[in-house]
Amino acid sequence: MQELTHWINGAHVTGTSGRFADVFNPATGEVQARVPLASKQEIDHAVAEAARAQPAWGATNPQRRARVMMEFVRLLNRDMDKLAQTLSREHGKTLPDARGDIQRGLEVIEYCIGAPQMLKGEFTDSAGPGIDMYSMRQPLGVAAGITPFNFPAMIPMWKMGPALACGNAFILKPSERDPSVPLMLAELMQEAGLPDGVLQVVNGDKDAVDAILDNPAIAAIGFVGSTPIAEYIYGRGCSNGKRVQCFGGAKNHMIIMPDADLDLAADALVGAGYGAAGERCMAISVAVPVGEATADALIERLIPRIEKLKVGPYTAGNDVDYGPVVTAAAKANILRLVESGVAQGAKLVVDGRGFKLQGYEDGFFVGPHLFDRVTRDMDIYRKEIFGPVLSTVRARTYEEALAHAMDHEYGNGTAIFTRDGDTARDFAHRVNIGMIGINVPIPVPLAYHTFGGWKKSAFGDLNQHGPDSFRFYTRTKTITSRWPSGIKEGASLNFRPMD
């Protein structure tokens, strides 16, 4: 069995805590590796080494840092297939989906190549007699990222790319469920020219998270995961004086208006609801058709599409639509929520509870489920399921449909399908959610825009990637400069305008 490591000072380092977590192959249910769980002492050591390496990296000019990012992009493309195979083997998602995971992370690294432009300050000539004012953006020092299992390549790159491009050292604590790809990314960063110690990858559980939150040398922390953990990390990190951004759970609604192209909407719902077995924070988990006729016609189109979905291991290649969920516990939680939906009166139109895959009976596969006539008081509506389960909540009017999305505690993403521009524009302006799709089911912005939800889906003032990421990983210093050139004014005790 493979025993994984940490990545400290540019080398693989064996864990010393004596504690390990199992890494499963979700398709077979077998343990394929063990990952060490770092102690506080190991975290503190990694942070201390990062703090020693950071000043020289921070003093490296932005153009040279950008060249490291450019080379990393080349190496990432070179090793795309190897990375995707490893990612699929530990996570369970299909190979095309794994490549998409890597690609969306790579796009943020490409954006970071523009660091010299993003880090430019502002300058005002002659703000007063002989006085110039200018600002500069400087790195924070050491930053950290705590990233989830569902995007083991993309989200680590969303975090470490901007942090490193800004001149910080970075501590990455990836999910212990699929840690191999983050370690491979660190190897590629070293090959790209990143100095040893600037990027550390330390595996662990809550002990490691708490050590990161409490270490005084860490200036900023980014997190993606569930809302309860996001609230915990945000509160503890802020109380320790750190800059913190946390992104939590989601319950993303898609409103289908009577004038929508229902075939387009049905295809979008299947892709957005069941891709990656529903283990996406931007997955559509609630369909809200407006009007009984719209709902009936939509359900009629959804059923055959969902029943044709092919569920299997990533090794089946393009013959599989989605794979297993990540752990046996995740599978049990999904099926428990499905049972609650049945018990609370929802109509289970497509029932995947009895799904079994021949030859993979011990794998963590969950069949696709479709509920109709779900109400807002049901657990399957209120809670994030994170599985291949789509709930249909019927609305009588557009205003009622809009209220469903606006009243839910989560506000990550939402979408509307319609041919009417006035309705779409009204929806985009009024809905209190961070990312909006108009005839787009999963509105994840490209790297040069910013990603972030509202309400209980996000905590902190700045979002991920785009310009916000450079603001988050730097602090602004403003300089007022005067060269008197022989001007003699004498002392003044008054606070007065410069001009």
Side-chain angles (χ1 to χ4, degrees):
M1 182 189 301
Q2 183 183 12
E3 189 161 305
L4 300 175
T5 63
H6 307 300
W7 178 266
I8 309 293
N9 284 339
H12 289 283
V13 175
T14 301
T16 60
S17 71
R19 297 189 307 119
F20 295 86
D22 291 334
V23 179
F24 291 90
N25 181 331
T28 65
E30 297 174 335
V31 177
Q32 59 182 324
R34 294 199 313 164
V35 60
L37 302 177
S39 64
K40 180 181 184 300
Q41 291 73 25
E42 288 172 291
I43 294 290
D44 289 347
H45 170 69
V47 174
E49 293 301 311
R52 275 192 278 271
Q54 188 276 326
W57 176 244
T60 302
N61 72 58
Q63 188 169 337
R64 292 184 181 275
R65 297 200 297 261
R67 288 174 187 160
V68 173
M69 299 293 141
M70 292 173 66
E71 179 64 6
F72 179 73
V73 168
R74 186 189 72 81
L75 296 172
L76 205 65
N77 280 306
R78 181 197 70 185
D79 290 358
M80 178 69 76
D81 289 342
K82 179 181 176 182
L83 288 160
Q85 288 277 348
T86 302
L87 194 158
S88 292
R89 187 171 61 248
E90 287 189 353
H91 177 279
K93 65 176 66 178
T94 65
L95 281 171
D97 200 29
R99 292 189 186 97
D101 184 332
I102 298 163
Q103 178 65 35
R104 292 308 291 265
L106 181 151
E107 290 168 3
V108 169
I109 302 297
E110 289 175 331
Y111 177 75
C112 292
I113 294 171
Q117 170 68 22
M118 297 303 300
L119 294 172
K120 288 195 305 185
E122 299 172 321
F123 186 91
T124 299
D125 177 64
S126 299
I131 297 173
D132 301 325
M133 301 186 75
Y134 60 97
S135 66
M136 58 180 70
R137 304 198 72 87
Q138 295 187 321
L140 301 174
V142 179
I146 301 166
T147 59
F149 76 87
N150 59 323
F151 286 97
M154 182 183 79
I155 296 179
M157 284 191 273
W158 282 12
K159 298 295 186 188
M160 72 184 187
L164 295 173
C166 289
N168 299 285
F170 195 74
I171 309 294
L172 175 62
K173 205 299 289 181
S175 171
E176 64 274 22
R177 297 175 188 174
D178 43 14
S180 292
V181 167
L183 290 166
M184 295 168 72
L185 296 177
E187 292 174 343
L188 293 181
M189 272 292 183
Q190 182 192 50
E191 188 178 350
L194 189 72
D196 293 348
V198 175
L199 173 63
Q200 318 275 43
V201 181
V202 188
N203 295 295
D205 54 6
K206 185 177 183 299
D207 288 353
V209 170
D210 286 344
I212 288 170
L213 292 171
D214 295 340
N215 190 297
I218 294 176
I221 297 173
F223 168 81
V224 177
S226 69
T227 287
I229 305 302
E231 290 179 309
Y232 171 78
I233 289 174
Y234 187 73
R236 186 160 174 169
C238 289
S239 69
N240 285 329
K242 303 182 189 305
R243 183 178 292 183
V244 187
Q245 59 172 198
C246 291
F247 298 90
K251 200 70 176 179
N252 303 321
H253 297 62
M254 185 173 122
I255 294 172
I256 303 96
M257 297 299 294
D259 67 341
D261 181 328
L262 292 184
D263 288 312
L264 178 66
D267 287 338
L269 279 168
V270 172
Y274 299 95
E279 292 178 319
R280 296 171 176 160
C281 68
M282 287 295 285
I284 293 293
S285 54
V286 182
V288 189
V290 176
E292 289 293 323
T294 306
D296 290 342
L298 180 67
I299 292 292
E300 182 181 352
R301 286 165 170 79
L302 283 173
I303 289 173
R305 286 169 165 83
I306 295 169
E307 290 179 337
K308 289 178 183 177
L309 287 173
K310 297 176 182 178
V311 184
Y314 79 94
T315 50
N318 293 329
D319 292 333
V320 172
D321 292 308
Y322 74 83
V325 296
V326 70
T327 62
K331 175 180 178 178
N333 183 63
I334 293 164
L335 294 177
R336 186 163 50 247
L337 282 165
V338 169
E339 293 293 348
S340 78
V342 174
Q344 292 170 7
K347 183 179 180 182
L348 187 54
V349 180
V350 177
D351 186 351
R353 288 175 294 181
F355 179 83
K356 294 289 183 184
L357 187 63
Q358 187 176 0
Y360 294 89
E361 289 81 4
D362 294 327
F364 310 139
F365 294 95
V366 179
H369 297 78
L370 173 63
F371 279 103
D372 192 11
R373 301 195 181 276
V374 174
T375 58
R376 295 169 67 170
D377 58 330
M378 294 177 180
D379 289 344
I380 56 171
Y381 179 77
R382 294 186 300 106
K383 296 181 179 180
E384 184 178 33
I385 301 175
F386 229 55
V389 182
L390 179 63
S391 297
T392 306
V393 180
R394 297 180 177 225
R396 290 164 296 182
T397 65
Y398 165 70
E399 289 295 335
E400 183 181 325
L402 179 64
H404 285 314
M406 293 189 68
D407 293 346
H408 203 285
E409 66 176 337
Y410 294 131
N412 213 38
T414 189
I416 187 168
F417 273 60
T418 181
R419 290 185 171 96
D420 186 86
D422 287 339
T423 302
R425 189 173 187 276
D426 180 81
F427 181 77
H429 278 259
R430 289 173 61 192
V431 71
N432 56 350
I433 289 171
M435 290 168 284
I436 316 300
I438 298 173
N439 298 316
V440 174
I442 303 180
V444 176
L446 292 175
Y448 43 87
H449 287 268
T450 188
F451 179 108
W454 289 13
K455 298 185 283 189
K456 284 198 171 184
S457 291
F459 304 86
D461 296 329
L462 294 170
N463 290 333
Q464 300 180 98
H465 64 65
D468 267 12
S469 63
F470 280 81
R471 298 185 188 104
F472 182 77
Y473 288 113
T474 58
R475 55 169 59 98
T476 301
K477 182 182 288 182
T478 305
I479 297 92
T480 302
S481 171
R482 184 181 189 189
W483 300 99
S485 300
I487 299 173
K488 303 293 185 181
E489 293 183 342
S492 174
L493 302 182
N494 298 320
F495 188 71
R496 62 185 184 182
M498 292 181 183
D499 56 358

